[in-house]
Amino acid sequence: MKFRNIISLKWVSFLMIVTSFFSFTCVSQSSSDLPNIIFIITDDQQIGLTSIEGNLVSKTPNIDRIAKEGATFEKFFVATPLCSPSRASFLTGQYAQKHAVINNDRIGLDVISHTLMTWPQQLRENGYKTAFIGKWHMGLDDSRRPGFDRWLSFKGQGIFVNGVVNDEGTIKQIDGNMTDYLNEQAVNFLKNNSKNKPFAMILSHKAVHNPLIPADRHSAYYADYEYEAPRVSKGNIESKPVLQRNVPWRPPYEYENIVPEPEEPRRGRGNDRTSIVADQMRCLLSVDEGVGEILKVLEENGQLDNTIIVYTSDNGMLMGEHNRFHTKRWAYDDVLRVPFFIRYPKMIEPGSKIDKMVLNIDWAPTVYDVVGIEPMIPVHGKSFLPLFKSEEAEWRTSFYAEYFHEKVARNTPSWQAVRTKDWKYVKYVGLDTEEMNELYDLKNDPGEEFNLYKNPAYKQQLDSMKIEFQNKLTEINND
């Protein structure tokens, strides 16, 4: 893989400091040397929902273009497979246990998320114009967070149809589909943005989260689609004691300190598996159209090739695997792994494939590396820029992931996990017995069907993974 020579961005950062000594209002000697950044994140989008990933039904030409003209990360994982903590990890480069946005239902997330030191905040302090447009979802508070010149968001999950938004502190009733509205606002920001300073924009979609209500113009697409359930063996479920648990349901008013967000109604759309997956793809049509509009305005402004464009999701989903449908929170790869496409021709050869294990905590350190600034807080991730220079670049051989139990997700206990290239160890926290834990041979069982934890033939491998697990915890706690 070739790495295209460019002017050192760290040297550009130095020039910014020198130049600002002579002119306080000047951002840099040549602000065009610093890349713009557009970070597009969808909600609950599992691997395989785009045509670039091999989906023969879904039509996503504009999302595909990012990957075709840039790089596809084939093993990109989130450190916590849940909306709020995953988004905070993308923003900070830290694990949830450090940034403290540990789940979706904890009281106080609003306050915590006002105190996070994020990469947009640091970029703003280094001359960037910044924007956040869409779903914030760390608490129900929709007010502006530090670090954003442009702010448009909504409370909690928000709703798809005729929602209410906080636009620069003004509460607005909108008409139409939320995905279309967010696309429009993102394009307006790009059109109105001055070219004399770099910008960073996060476009955070509610799509493709439940209740999956597509725009009216897309509601009849994929009418002939039929969902094909993945094969789930009897041994798959029998080897996983934790999946056999059934914690009694409690009415929401009995939960202490939380009030689960009620869902927007499906407006009469089907709840069968075919209807759900088809509506995922229909909602993605609007997202893809927005990506196309963004690419078009960047081309018209002459900014396309000087803009880093990322497309990703906050977590994956089980869509029938392990006999679980349209659910997240578990430690399996189908939930931890998400799409990650990035385009930046000054650094990335078109059609590049990255097969190293990269995490959402690596994104913020990568931004700091590109721009040439040091993070103000300790980060657990690392810049993945070396992976564009050489396929043989030194990289992690294992990673840690975690989940903190939520009262609204009664059947999923807290867990901690470590994954290597060929093995995964899952430790369930707070249960009465270690017999619930899991061990998988990913080389021979990539679908994680057969839990080997209690198999004596794998005791040595289990002991090795437990050592790796403790080493990862020590590494994180020392950062």
Side-chain angles (χ1 to χ4, degrees):
M1 184 182 304
K2 296 180 180 178
F3 178 82
R4 297 181 178 181
N5 292 325
I6 61 171
I7 298 174
S8 169
L9 291 169
K10 292 187 176 181
W11 176 245
V12 173
S13 181
F14 170 75
L15 289 178
M16 288 173 60
I17 298 172
V18 173
T19 307
S20 64
F21 176 80
F22 297 99
S23 176
F24 181 77
T25 59
C26 183
V27 174
S28 68
Q29 184 173 359
S30 177
S31 61
S32 62
D33 290 334
L34 287 169
N36 306 309
I37 298 174
I38 296 178
F39 184 83
I40 304 169
I41 183 168
T42 55
D43 201 332
D44 288 358
Q45 182 178 335
Q46 70 270 17
I47 285 288
L49 208 56
T50 63
S51 49
I52 192 69
E53 298 169 293
N55 192 308
L56 300 179
V57 178
S58 183
K59 306 301 181 186
T60 54
N62 298 299
I63 298 170
D64 296 350
R65 181 182 171 187
I66 297 174
K68 289 176 180 178
E69 297 179 2
T72 297
F73 283 67
E74 299 180 319
K75 296 177 182 175
F76 193 95
F77 299 90
V78 296
T80 304
L82 188 65
C83 302
S84 296
S86 178
R87 290 160 185 270
S89 290
F90 268 120
L91 285 165
T92 63
Q94 296 178 327
Y95 279 101
Q97 60 179 271
K98 180 67 173 181
H99 60 58
V101 180
I102 60 171
N103 56 37
N104 286 354
D105 67 17
R106 180 181 171 193
I107 293 293
L109 295 185
D110 321 63
V111 177
I112 293 171
S113 70
H114 274 279
T115 67
L116 298 178
M117 177 53 69
T118 66
W119 61 265
Q121 184 169 353
Q122 281 205 232
L123 261 58
R124 183 176 184 272
E125 294 176 7
N126 282 269
Y128 274 72
K129 182 176 181 180
T130 58
F132 185 90
I133 296 170
K135 175 184 173 181
W136 180 261
H137 197 237
M138 286 166 248
L140 291 174
D141 174 16
D142 60 2
S143 65
R144 185 192 303 270
R145 274 22 178 210
F148 296 103
D149 297 297
R150 171 78 175 104
W151 179 264
L152 186 142
S153 189
F154 40 75
K155 290 185 179 296
Q157 292 285 357
I159 61 176
F160 274 104
V161 183
N162 300 333
V164 174
V165 299
N166 181 330
D167 187 347
E168 303 291 353
T170 300
I171 307 304
K172 292 182 178 180
Q173 169 72 64
I174 73 164
D175 295 317
N177 186 277
M178 183 61 75
T179 305
D180 291 342
Y181 185 79
L182 297 180
N183 286 335
E184 176 187 326
Q185 295 303 309
V187 168
N188 287 344
F189 171 78
L190 297 177
K191 287 181 176 179
N192 297 328
N193 189 56
S194 171
K195 295 182 182 179
N196 63 7
K197 65 189 302 187
F199 66 83
M201 178 182 74
I202 296 177
L203 173 56
S204 179
H205 279 295
K206 173 179 173 58
V208 294
H209 194 281
N210 209 42
L212 296 163
I213 304 176
D216 289 342
R217 65 186 179 281
H218 298 143
S219 61
Y221 276 63
Y222 312 127
D224 296 330
Y225 170 78
E226 290 187 15
Y227 166 81
E228 293 185 18
R231 175 186 170 274
V232 180
S233 67
K234 184 178 179 182
N236 186 324
I237 305 303
E238 289 182 344
S239 72
K240 300 175 173 63
V242 73
L243 285 186
Q244 300 176 44
R245 299 164 70 240
N246 186 17
V247 179
W249 178 85
R250 292 171 56 193
Y253 57 79
E254 290 186 4
Y255 288 121
E256 243 181 281
N257 298 327
I258 66 164
V259 179
E261 267 189 82
E263 284 195 343
E264 180 185 9
R266 281 272 288 156
R267 292 176 175 257
R269 305 189 71 83
N271 289 312
D272 60 283
R273 294 186 173 190
T274 291
S275 295
I276 293 296
V277 179
D279 275 345
Q280 282 188 310
M281 295 187 293
R282 291 169 185 137
C283 287
L284 201 57
L285 287 170
S286 295
V287 175
D288 186 77
E289 288 174 354
V291 172
E293 292 165 4
I294 287 171
L295 293 172
K296 180 181 178 182
V297 73
L298 289 174
E299 286 179 313
E300 292 173 347
N301 290 344
Q303 296 177 313
L304 179 59
D305 287 348
N306 194 43
T307 301
I308 298 172
I309 305 173
V310 166
Y311 183 92
T312 189
S313 177
D314 55 4
N315 53 255
M317 299 289 283
L318 294 179
M319 302 302 293
E321 298 84 2
H322 314 295
N323 207 29
R324 293 291 188 275
F325 182 77
H326 208 202
T327 188
K328 46 200 174 187
R329 296 179 171 88
W330 297 95
Y332 307 119
D333 275 9
D334 292 296
V335 179
L336 289 173
R337 189 166 160 241
V338 297
F340 190 93
F341 312 130
I342 180 170
R343 183 192 190 279
Y344 186 45
K346 293 184 178 180
M347 285 188 178
I348 305 169
E349 289 286 349
S352 298
K353 306 287 186 183
I354 307 295
D355 68 351
K356 304 291 195 219
M357 293 184 291
V358 182
L359 304 178
N360 59 345
I361 59 173
D362 297 327
W363 169 242
T366 301
V367 173
Y368 297 139
D369 193 9
V370 167
V371 177
I373 59 179
E374 293 295 324
M376 294 183 180
I377 57 174
V379 294
H380 297 127
K382 55 193 294 187
S383 168
F384 54 68
L385 289 190
L387 301 182
F388 298 136
K389 299 178 184 179
S390 170
E391 294 178 356
E392 306 304 319
E394 182 178 349
W395 194 250
R396 67 168 61 87
T397 57
S398 65
F399 72 86
Y400 169 85
E402 61 189 359
Y403 167 77
F404 298 85
H405 174 68
E406 303 157 282
K407 295 174 182 177
V408 296
R410 65 187 190 280
N411 283 318
T412 312
S414 297
W415 54 259
Q416 300 167 302
V418 64
R419 187 197 193 278
T420 65
K421 177 183 177 182
D422 295 328
W423 293 89
K424 182 185 289 183
Y425 165 59
V426 184
K427 177 181 179 180
Y428 289 101
V429 181
L431 300 183
D432 295 336
T433 173
E434 289 188 8
E435 298 299 305
M436 294 285 189
N437 295 344
E438 298 171 5
L439 177 71
Y440 296 103
D441 177 358
L442 300 176
K443 183 176 181 180
N444 296 303
D445 179 23
E448 300 167 286
E449 289 194 56
F450 303 106
N451 178 16
L452 304 174
Y453 185 84
K454 291 188 284 187
N455 190 324
Y458 295 91
K459 185 180 185 306
Q460 183 175 354
Q461 183 61 48
L462 176 61
D463 291 340
S464 175
M465 290 299 289
K466 286 183 176 180
I467 292 172
E468 184 68 18
F469 175 81
Q470 290 300 327
N471 289 341
K472 283 296 174 187
L473 281 180
T474 300
E475 178 184 314
I476 292 167
N477 290 332
N478 287 340
D479 284 342

